[in-house]
Amino acid sequence: MNATTKLALALACNIIIVVATFFVVRSYCKTEDGGYKWSQGSWKFKFFTTDSNVLSAVMALIVIPFEVVALIKGTSLPLFPLVVKYIGTVVVTLTFLTVLFFLGPTQGYIEMFRGTSFYMHFLGAALAFFSFCFLEKGSLSAFWIFPALIPMAAYAILYRHMVLVKGPLYGGWEDFYGFNVHDRWKISAVIMHSAMLLINIIVLTVHNA
């Protein structure tokens, strides 16, 4: 497969990511009378699944014009779109692996992969990983591993505040991911941050290879 074909396939993947994510998030906002209202589905954004897929879609949207230009001019992608696509890819990869190894066993795989969750928990991540690691050429330095940790770290800070500091009785969240079962927040934090770091390293290594 030549470079032009790979870039065209990557462009197609990114378009699918943007369009599919838009329609899934839009479905969250559908009201009983068939209309759409933001307040109907805004609560979904407390989940990392939604946030990571939206971030991945935003990053894919940023990459699309660069890939169009690269196809027209026959050039390769510059650094910026590769970095943003890398960040979008690692966050949805974390979502998929968390579902596969933690939420699936504890909450049921059928629940985790049915309906729109099939895209949000698997297909979106698969498209991002495949396109970034095997279709979008261009080497990234190990430096970018650390900026790519920021989205998950920011969510962890928010989750801890809403679950442990505020709690559901004071307008916060219940521990819907079960990270604080048996008061194990610190252990969960170490595991999740370590997993994110490992994912970042693996995705970058596979892409560069």
Side-chain angles (χ1 to χ4, degrees):
M1 188 184 298
N2 60 38
T4 301
T5 303
K6 286 184 176 181
L7 194 58
L9 286 174
L11 175 61
C13 287
N14 286 321
I15 292 173
I16 293 171
I17 289 170
V18 171
V19 173
T21 304
F22 170 79
F23 279 106
V24 170
V25 173
R26 184 172 179 260
S27 72
Y28 295 158
C29 302
K30 191 172 184 178
T31 60
E32 293 182 357
D33 61 3
Y36 294 91
K37 191 175 182 181
W38 168 250
S39 59
Q40 182 76 13
S42 59
W43 64 275
K44 286 277 192 176
F45 282 84
K46 71 180 182 180
F47 298 116
F48 186 77
T49 291
T50 306
D51 298 337
S52 63
N53 275 275
V54 169
L55 179 59
S56 177
V58 169
M59 297 310 200
L61 183 62
I62 292 172
V63 172
I64 286 172
F66 287 96
E67 292 183 336
V68 171
V69 171
L71 280 171
I72 293 173
K73 294 185 175 181
T75 57
S76 57
L77 291 174
L79 177 65
F80 175 70
L82 289 173
V83 171
V84 298
K85 183 60 180 294
Y86 170 55
I87 294 173
T89 300
V90 294
V91 293
V92 286
T93 302
L94 175 65
T95 294
F96 167 67
L97 293 176
T98 301
V99 170
L100 185 64
F101 294 111
F102 179 67
L103 296 180
T106 58
Q107 300 184 22
Y109 285 106
I110 294 177
E111 182 66 25
M112 290 296 104
F113 290 113
R114 70 179 178 182
T116 57
S117 292
F118 178 75
Y119 175 81
M120 300 297 269
H121 287 158
F122 170 68
L123 189 56
L127 287 168
F129 184 88
F130 174 70
S131 57
F132 177 71
C133 290
F134 301 109
L135 300 176
E136 292 164 332
K137 295 176 61 178
S139 181
L140 292 178
S141 72
F143 166 80
W144 298 108
I145 290 171
F146 302 100
L149 295 170
I150 293 174
M152 186 266 181
Y155 182 83
I157 292 171
L158 175 63
Y159 189 85
R160 182 184 184 279
H161 175 75
M162 297 300 286
V163 172
L164 298 184
V165 178
K166 295 186 72 173
L169 293 178
Y170 299 96
W173 302 338
E174 62 182 31
D175 183 21
F176 45 79
Y177 285 133
F179 289 150
N180 196 43
V181 174
H182 305 307
D183 196 29
R184 64 180 185 185
W185 167 257
K186 292 181 180 179
I187 296 174
S188 296
V190 170
I191 292 173
M192 293 305 297
H193 284 289
S194 298
M196 186 77 259
L197 178 60
L198 183 61
I199 289 168
N200 288 5
I201 294 171
I202 291 173
V203 170
L204 189 71
T205 301
V206 174
H207 169 81
N208 285 344

